[in-house]
């Protein structure tokens, strides 16, 4: 149980590099640096794209070395980046900071935490990853409510320094106390029809299967659109009549359904076709994009938050377990590193695309509706692609 809870806390501590954690800084940065929303979004895009480039390398390292030591190194670097970011006074320094927090926060620490849990936990892995994902989701989603108050009271620079301290104090001790994963060679899975000995796919073999691109496409779409909505949440919901505090508090209903969906899907993923959950997640994502145009303070704002949380939670509850189920554990770091790199790069495009669309249309509603086409397409693609044939030896 400890590795599951520890993994969840490690995932939660990625919040300074997550869109939810950075969204609270967006409007104050626009005012403090004297830039417009498109320039801020472009800075975020560049930082995220460059940050994404390191993820396949990290995934390869996770396959070769002790994940616990890698997490410690990530935590030290991530903390240092946050501290350095507190001194940024212009767009170049901010962009450099975005590179670091996206590379080592959302990307590296999140990938390492879930990979470590997948390597340590061998029974009911889907449920374990679901519980860990739920804990992580709760921390990430609730962080903006606290951060909004912190930024308002002490300012941007001090808030980033406090985050740097929190990463060191929380992440390093947890990483050092995680149990050592068992060696990975081949993996035996019990199924109703017999024993399956799984020889893991390499990253090159996995990416030749259609299902890799279904899972990666769903991850990338969710990352792109949820990042767009989250990064501009204060401005987007402000346009619909919500105050900054009410807009930040919308992460609470998002957390409720994200937790419920992550736990439920995590409990079911070991027994059901992962494509079902991909379709459900993408349908909820499309619905949340369409809801942007009708959100008002009160019940509609709550519904919007619930639907958006459902989209992310369902995907978070299944993706890591689905990759292991289809491709084995032997090269799971490299496989997920490639998928995370692509999805992180996609997340870079979301805020910029939505900002440019909003400036062109004069509101956030129209570009959000256009972007709803993407998850609808992924949902259709999911059932058009066959599941990969396992590389197995069967025994009765």
């Amino acid at each position: 149980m400890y590795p599951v809870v520890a993994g969840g806390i490690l995932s939660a501590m990625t919040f300074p590099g997550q869109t939810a954690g950075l969204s609270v800084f967006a409007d104050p940065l626009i005012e403090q640096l004297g830039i417009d929303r498109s320039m801020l979004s472009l800075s975020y895009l560049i930082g995220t794209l460059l940050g994404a480039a390191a993820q396949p390398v990290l995934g390869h390292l996770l396959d070769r070395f002790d994940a616990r030591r890698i997490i410690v190194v990530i935590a030290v670097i991530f903390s240092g980046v946050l501290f350095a970011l507190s001194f940024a006074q212009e767009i170049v320094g901010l962009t450099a900071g975005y590179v670091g927090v996206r590379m080592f926060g959302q990307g590296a620490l999140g990938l390492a935490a879930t990979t470590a849990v997948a390597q340590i936990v061998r029974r009911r892995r889907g449920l374990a990853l679901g519980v860990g994902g739920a804990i992580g989701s709760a921390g990430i989603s609730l962080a903006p409510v606290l951060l909004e108050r912190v930024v308002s009271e002490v300012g941007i620079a001090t808030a980033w320094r406090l985050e740097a301290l929190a990463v060191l104090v929380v992440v390093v001790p947890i990483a050092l106390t995680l149990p050592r994963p068992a060696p990975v060679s081949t993996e035996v899975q019990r199924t109703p029809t017999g024993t399956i000995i799984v020889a893991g796919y390499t990253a090159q073999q996995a990416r030749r299967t259609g299902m890799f691109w279904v899972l990666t496409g769903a991850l990338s779409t969710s990352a792109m659109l949820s990042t767009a909505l989250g990064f501009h949440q204060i401005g987007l919901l402000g346009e619909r009549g919500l105050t900054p505090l009410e807009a930040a508090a919308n992460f609470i209903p998002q957390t409720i359904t994200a937790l419920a969906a992550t736990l439920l899907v995590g409990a079911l993923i070991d027994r059901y076709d992962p494509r079902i959950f991909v379709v459900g997640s993408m349908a909820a994502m499309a619905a949340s994009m369409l809801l942007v145009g009708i959100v008002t303070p009160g019940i509609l704002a709550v519904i919007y938050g619930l639907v958006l949380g459902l989209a992310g939670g369902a995907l978070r509850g299944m993706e890591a377990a689905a990759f292991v189920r289809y491709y084995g554990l032997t090269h799971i770091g490299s496989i997920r590193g490639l998928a995370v790199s692509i999805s992180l790069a996609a997340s870079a495009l979301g805020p910029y695309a939505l900002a440019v669309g909003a400036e062109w249309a004069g509101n956030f509603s129209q570009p959000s509706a256009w972007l709803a086409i993407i998850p609808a397409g992924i949902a259709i693609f999911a059932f058009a692609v066959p599941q990969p044939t396992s590389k197995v030896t069967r025994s009765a």
Side-chain angles (χ1 to χ4, degrees), residues 28-52:
L29 282 170
I30 290 171
E31 181 178 352
Q32 179 174 303
L33 301 183
I35 57 178
D36 60 24
R37 191 171 296 276
S38 292
M39 184 175 290
L40 180 70
S41 299
L42 181 60
S43 171
Y44 188 78
L45 183 154
I46 294 169
T48 303
L49 285 176
L50 293 176

Side-chain angles (χ1 to χ4, degrees), residues 67-108:
R68 300 170 302 173
R69 295 181 180 178
I70 293 176
I71 291 171
V72 171
V73 173
I74 291 169
V76 172
I77 298 174
F78 186 23
S79 178
V81 170
L82 285 166
F83 185 74
L85 187 55
S86 69
F87 296 98
Q89 296 295 323
E90 33 70 40
I91 195 68
V92 175
L94 178 65
T95 303
Y98 277 155
V99 173
V101 297
R102 298 295 277 171
M103 181 182 294
F104 295 101
Q106 182 189 23

Side-chain angles (χ1 to χ4, degrees), residues 144-156 158-160 162:
V145 181
L146 175 61
L147 281 175
E148 196 279 333
R149 291 291 85 199
V150 172
V151 172
S152 297
E153 293 294 328
V154 301
I156 295 172
T158 302
W160 268 323
L162 290 173

Side-chain angles (χ1 to χ4, degrees), residues 182-269:
V184 176
S185 53
T186 58
E187 182 180 10
V188 178
Q189 298 179 355
R190 297 280 181 181
T191 70
T193 58
T195 300
I196 298 179
I197 303 174
V198 181
Y201 281 68
T202 65
Q204 291 75 17
Q205 291 167 337
R207 71 187 184 193
R208 296 192 191 108
T209 66
M211 187 53 64
F212 174 84
W213 295 106
V214 167
L215 295 175
T216 303
L219 279 174
S220 300
T221 298
S222 178
M224 175 182 175
L225 299 183
S226 61
T227 299
L229 295 177
F231 190 77
H232 297 297
Q233 182 155 303
I234 306 299
L236 182 150
L237 294 180
E239 178 181 278
R240 305 302 305 174
L242 280 72
T243 67
L245 182 58
E246 289 172 337
N250 194 262
F251 283 109
I252 295 175
Q254 292 175 33
T255 302
I256 293 172
T257 46
L259 284 173
T262 302
L263 288 170
L264 179 61
V265 173
L268 297 176
I269 189 63

